[in-house]
């Protein structure tokens, strides 16, 4: 039963990745991309409890890296280390080094606020501000003074909403409350909000978990488009999605990275038995 | 010390322990019977066993046995006083019953005193008085003079020589009380036994003892709530009633729209010039609002900012120390704030004003408002703290994640999200300030005026209520009754504020739940 399912679902999935690989080559990008984010021996503790054990990972620039793994394995925790969002949790402690563009982000002299402005994040649970839809998107640009007049801001808001595939649904109610949207719309609102600040890195924690297939396709298109200018890290529970959108994949299990490499390689020829089991749906 | 202790011990041994023992015994009787029934049937493959578990049968038996008796006993105890009084009054001669209410009350209290004295006499003396009052010719007639002497020797002082009918009434009352007391206890025992036998015989396998116990518990809880609600309404209605009395003397329009507060003696129907003075409510309302506004100007910024610091900036360690420390302020009795205002703050402001050439009264709007503000700081800060903490963490993370600073996050996301709740908190604090009494009594002054000068004295509704009730006025006079009108107005104002505040707070809560 399981086996047949795997065979069925794997075939189109592989086609897809091959397509992507072809697309990549046609884009004429340098084969070896430079590393954007380097993690060395990252351990995270929530109070006494250790959630991540010595994570080493290199995330290349202008590409999509997906983090997969069973629930509770530490994907979100790792993602939140990259923009130091774990700082806001009192009991959370991070050791090891994470470097972005070669600079240690846990260096005391580093300005966290500036760091977070460069690294956008879409959270696992949609968290629109209790403000209007327009103000939700305009929040970041206003804080960072990205636009100089109202018309520019309007355009930025519109573009962000179009990219997130939400514009048609909300263009008549931009002054309506962001909290009044459906769960999936809220999720896309948060994506639009994150890209409106034009970050270098975008961290996405299960951005499509509340979306229908069409909205998911829109977001995946967006991710693919953003890839040429941004570094994207995405957490997902959908193997198909990881295969479709990402160039590299890291498989987390119980707070450790079990296997990491080219997405095509991870999905076609996993080196580790656990990875094999997980992507074929035998556990997780 | 040890005497007091032994009093408690004997009290416990006689009044608490025996009932507990008896009730426990009854409980176990019920439980055992149910267990016995269960055992008999478990052998006889009976699918439908005991409906309720044995302890429920025990509780059922205990409740059904004693509850009716307790109810009868309590009702009897409440009713016996008035009933006996009525019966005794019937024996009084017509000359007494024709007297007005005040004098009759006096006679009733004399009868009470004599009755108390009777309990101190020994049997012989008692018999003597009894025979005398029955008009028994054979007995030696007892002079009222002798009776008074007799009482005096027992430390019961009577103002006059008691008339024979008073003695007779007291004796009758004493007999009735004794009779009633015996009757009460006998009824208790008989009803308990009857109820016990009934309940015991009704313990069967299928008896729904659990449902019965649940029903009784529910009624018990309902009773408690009803008592709480009824007393509240009772208070409101009695205030309302007196207010109506007041408005029959002073027209409501003079009260609500009058700008001068100047109550005077005016004897109305019983003499005088019939001029009661003026009862203008507006100066008091103005004083109340003015002082409350000053208090809020002090308390809202400080309370709110400390709440923001506590919930957004302070580390867990600091918070665990500072929060309780701030809340200690809330535990200080308001009278302490009152004399703090009177003794320290008032003179300080006066002297400070003198230095810069300002004339500041020792009792002023400023003093009262300032101290009242300090009083409500913990109220505002702890409510705001809760409300700010209720803003979901995910919103903060969303804002921080976009690269905003902590203070941007607080002012642009957290506070707007918490705003309705904060408004509610401020209004709850305002209603406290408006109803506050002790501080203003001591620090605001008693001048009912309409002025804007914060350095001068003003007065409030609560201060005037205290003034009017502590003065030496006749109860039915408008001077006293106005206190009820003031109280009711105050009640309505704070009630409206509270209802609106709670409405806002609740509406805000729903946003995130
Ligand atoms: N705030 C926290 N306090 C304490 N423990 C936490 C906290 N957040 C996460 N953890 C623990 O850390 C571990 C990793 O959690 P994390 O949220 O990173 O998992 P995840 O891989 O994102 O799972 P999911 O796929 O379900 O989102 C879990 O065991 C979790 O219980
Ligand atoms: Mg997660």
């Amino acid at each position: 039963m399981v086996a047949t399912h795997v065979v069925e679902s794997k075939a189109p999935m592989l086609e897809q990745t091959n397509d992507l690989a072809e697309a990549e080559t046609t884009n004429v990008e340098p084969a070896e991309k430079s590393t954007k984010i380097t993690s060395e021996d990252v351990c995270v503790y929530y109070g006494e409890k250790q959630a991540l054990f010595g994570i080493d990972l290199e995330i290349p620039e202008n590409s999509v890296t997906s983090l997969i793994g069973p629930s509770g394995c530490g994907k979100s925790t790792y993602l939140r280390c990259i923009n130091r969002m774990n700082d806001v949790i009192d009991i959370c402690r991070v050791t090891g080094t994470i470097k972005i563009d070669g600079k240690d982000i846990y260096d005391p002299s580093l300005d966290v606020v500036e760091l977070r402005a460069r690294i956008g994040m879409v959270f696992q649970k949609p968290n629109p501000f209790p403000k209007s839809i327009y103000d939700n998107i305009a929040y970041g640009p206003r804080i960072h003074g990205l636009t100089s007049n109202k018309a520019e801001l309007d355009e930025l808001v519109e573009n962000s909403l179009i990219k997130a595939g939400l514009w048609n649904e909300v263009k008549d109610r931009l002054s309506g409350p962001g909290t009044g949207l459906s769960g999936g719309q809220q999720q896309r609102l948060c994506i639009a909000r994150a890209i409106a600040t034009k970050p270098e890195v975008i961290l996405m924690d299960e951005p499509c978990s509340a979306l229908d297939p069409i909205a998911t396709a829109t977001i995946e298109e967006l991710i693919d488009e953003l890839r040429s200018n941004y570094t994207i890290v995405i957490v997902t529970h959908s193997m198909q999605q990881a295969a479709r959108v990402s160039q590299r994949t890291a498989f987390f299990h119980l707070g450790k990275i079990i296997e990491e490499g080219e997405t095509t390689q991870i999905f076609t020829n996993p080196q580790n038995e656990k990875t094999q089991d997980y992507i074929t749906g035998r556990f997780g | 010390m040890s005497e007091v202790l032994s009093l408690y011990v004997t009290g416990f041994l006689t009044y608490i322990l025996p009932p507990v023992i008896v009730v426990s015994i009854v409980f176990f009787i019920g439980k055992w019977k149910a267990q016995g029934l269960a055992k008999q049937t478990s052998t006889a493959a009976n699918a439908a066993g005991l409906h309720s578990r044995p302890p429920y049968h025990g509780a059922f038996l205990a409740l059904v046995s004693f509850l009716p008796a307790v109810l009868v006993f309590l009702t009897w105890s409440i009713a016996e006083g008035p009933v006996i009084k009525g019966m005794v009054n019937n024996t009084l001669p017509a000359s007494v019953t024709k007297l007005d209410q005040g004098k009759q009350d006096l006679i009733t209290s004399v009868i009470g005193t004599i009755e108390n004295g009777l309990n101190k006499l020994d049997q012989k003396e008692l018999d003597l008085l009894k025979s005398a009052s029955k008009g028994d010719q054979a007995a030696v007639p007892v002079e009222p003079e002798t009776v008074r002497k007799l009482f005096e020797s027992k430390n019961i002082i009577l103002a006059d020589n008691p008339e024979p009918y008073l003695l007779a009434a007291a004796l009758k009352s004493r007999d009735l009380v004794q009779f009633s007391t015996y009757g009460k206890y006998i009824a208790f025992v008989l009803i308990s036994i009857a109820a016990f036998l009934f309940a015991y015989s009704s313990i069967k396998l299928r008896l729904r003892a659990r449902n019965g116990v649940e029903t009784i518990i529910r009624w018990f809880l309902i009773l408690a709530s009803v008592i709480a609600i009824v007393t509240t309404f009772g208070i409101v209605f009695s205030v309302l009633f007196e207010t109506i009395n007041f408005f029959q003397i002073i027209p409501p329009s003079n009260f609500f729209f009058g700008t001068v507060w100047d109550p005077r003696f005016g004897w109305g129907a019983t003499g005088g010039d019939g001029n009661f003075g003026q009862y203008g409510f507006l100066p008091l309302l103005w004083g109340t609002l003015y002082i409350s506004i000053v208090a809020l100007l002090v308390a809202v910024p400080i309370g709110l900012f400390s709440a923001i610091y506590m919930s957004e900036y302070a580390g867990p360690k600091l918070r665990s120390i500072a929060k309780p420390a701030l809340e200690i302020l809330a535990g200080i009795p308001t009278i302490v704030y009152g004399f703090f205002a009177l003794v320290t703050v008032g003179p300080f402001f006066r002297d400070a004003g003198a230095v810069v050439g300002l004339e500041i009264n020792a009792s002023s709007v400023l003093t009262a408002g300032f101290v009242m503000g300090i009083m409500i700081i913990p109220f505002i800060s702890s409510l705001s703290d809760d409300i700010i903490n209720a803003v979901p963490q995910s919103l903060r993370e969303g804002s921080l994640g976009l690269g905003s600073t902590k203070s941007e996050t607080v002012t642009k996301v957290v506070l707007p999200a918490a705003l309705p709740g904060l408004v509610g908190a401020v209004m709850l604090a305002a209603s406290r300030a408006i109803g506050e009494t002790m501080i203003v009594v001591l620090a605001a002054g008693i001048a009912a005026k309409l002025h804007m000068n914060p350095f001068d004295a003003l007065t409030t509704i609560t201060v005037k209520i205290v003034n009017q009730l502590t003065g030496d006025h006749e109860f039915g006079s408008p001077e006293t009754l106005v206190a009820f009108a003031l109280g009711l107005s105050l009640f309505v104002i704070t009630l409206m504020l509270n209802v609106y505040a709670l409405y806002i707070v609740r509406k805000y809560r729903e946003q995130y739940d």
Side-chain angles (χ1 to χ4, degrees), chain A residues 70-77 79-80 124 205-206 235 237:
Chain A
S71 182
C73 66
K75 307 178 295 294
S76 299
T77 301
L79 205 64
R80 292 165 56 96
Q124 185 162 359
D205 201 344
E206 297 182 35
V235 171
H237 278 288

Side-chain angles (χ1 to χ4, degrees), chain A residues 123-126 187 205-212 216 237 241:
Chain A
F123 291 82
Q124 185 162 359
K125 268 186 271 167
Q187 187 67 286
D205 201 344
E206 297 182 35
C208 302
S209 57
L211 303 187
D212 63 85
T216 303
H237 278 288
Q241 183 170 55

Side-chain angles (χ1 to χ4, degrees), chain B residues 164-421:
Chain B
Y165 71 82
L166 289 178
L167 186 61
L171 281 167
K172 166 122 192 176
S173 172
R174 184 172 177 276
D175 282 348
L176 286 174
V177 169
Q178 271 179 358
F179 179 75
S180 169
T181 309
Y182 286 133
K184 203 157 67 170
Y185 282 101
I186 291 170
F188 183 86
V189 172
L190 290 181
I191 293 174
S192 304
I193 292 174
F196 171 77
L197 292 176
F198 165 75
Y200 185 76
S201 67
S202 65
I203 292 183
K204 305 257 164 53
L205 270 184
R206 300 308 302 163
L207 174 71
R208 308 195 162 189
R210 172 159 40 81
N211 309 26
V213 170
E214 292 294 331
T215 311
I216 291 170
I217 288 175
R218 195 175 79 227
W219 280 105
F220 189 73
L221 298 178
I222 289 175
L223 184 72
S225 337
V226 166
I227 289 174
I229 293 168
V230 164
T231 37
T232 312
F233 274 95
I235 291 170
V236 172
F237 277 114
S238 80
V239 172
L240 191 66
F241 186 71
E242 300 293 350
T243 306
I244 291 170
N245 280 346
F246 171 73
F247 283 139
Q248 274 160 2
I249 308 173
I250 306 289
S253 61
N254 290 9
F255 176 76
F256 286 114
F257 303 112
T259 54
V260 178
W261 176 267
D262 180 24
R264 259 190 244 136
F265 282 110
W267 292 103
T270 52
D273 56 3
N275 178 8
F276 293 110
Q278 287 170 278
Y279 290 87
F281 175 61
L282 291 181
L284 308 186
L285 183 64
W286 166 242
T288 304
L289 295 181
Y290 197 2
I291 292 176
S292 305
I293 287 169
V294 172
L296 289 178
L297 286 180
V298 172
V300 170
I302 299 180
L304 195 58
F305 293 154
S306 68
I308 291 173
Y309 178 74
M310 289 297 163
S311 55
E312 298 293 316
Y313 290 86
K317 259 192 207 136
L318 180 65
R319 188 161 45 222
S320 69
I321 299 168
K323 246 198 113 173
L326 199 64
E327 270 153 21
I328 286 178
L329 271 183
I332 299 176
T334 58
I335 183 78
V336 175
Y337 282 107
F339 64 71
F340 172 62
L342 185 70
V343 177
T344 315
V345 179
F348 172 77
F349 280 156
R350 190 191 52 210
D351 299 344
V355 171
V356 296
L358 272 176
E359 196 186 319
I360 302 182
N361 241 316
S363 28
S364 66
V365 174
L366 186 65
T367 312
F370 178 79
V371 175
M372 200 193 268
I374 293 180
M375 181 198 84
I376 53 180
I377 284 173
F379 195 71
I380 291 193
S381 73
S382 79
L383 268 180
S384 311
D385 189 60
D386 291 346
I387 289 162
I388 292 174
N389 273 328
V391 174
Q393 183 66 15
S394 65
L395 289 185
R396 290 187 190 87
E397 294 187 349
S399 170
L400 293 172
L402 290 169
S404 53
T405 63
K406 210 154 197 179
S407 67
E408 281 166 346
T409 302
V410 170
T411 51
K412 295 207 163 77
V413 173
V414 177
L415 287 187
L419 191 66

Side-chain angles (χ1 to χ4, degrees), chain A residues 1 6 9 16 22 34 45-47 52 68 75 99 102 109 119 125 131 153 162 196 199 211 214 222 227 245 263 276:
Chain A
M1 167 68 211
V6 168
S9 66
Q16 188 85 23
E22 281 164 25
S34 62
Y45 305 81
Y46 290 109
L52 288 183
I68 59 170
K75 307 178 295 294
K99 289 184 186 153
S109 67
I119 303 178
K125 268 186 271 167
K131 298 175 181 293
L153 186 60
I162 289 173
L211 303 187
I214 294 170
L222 170 71
R227 175 163 67 85
V245 302
T263 300
Q276 169 89 35

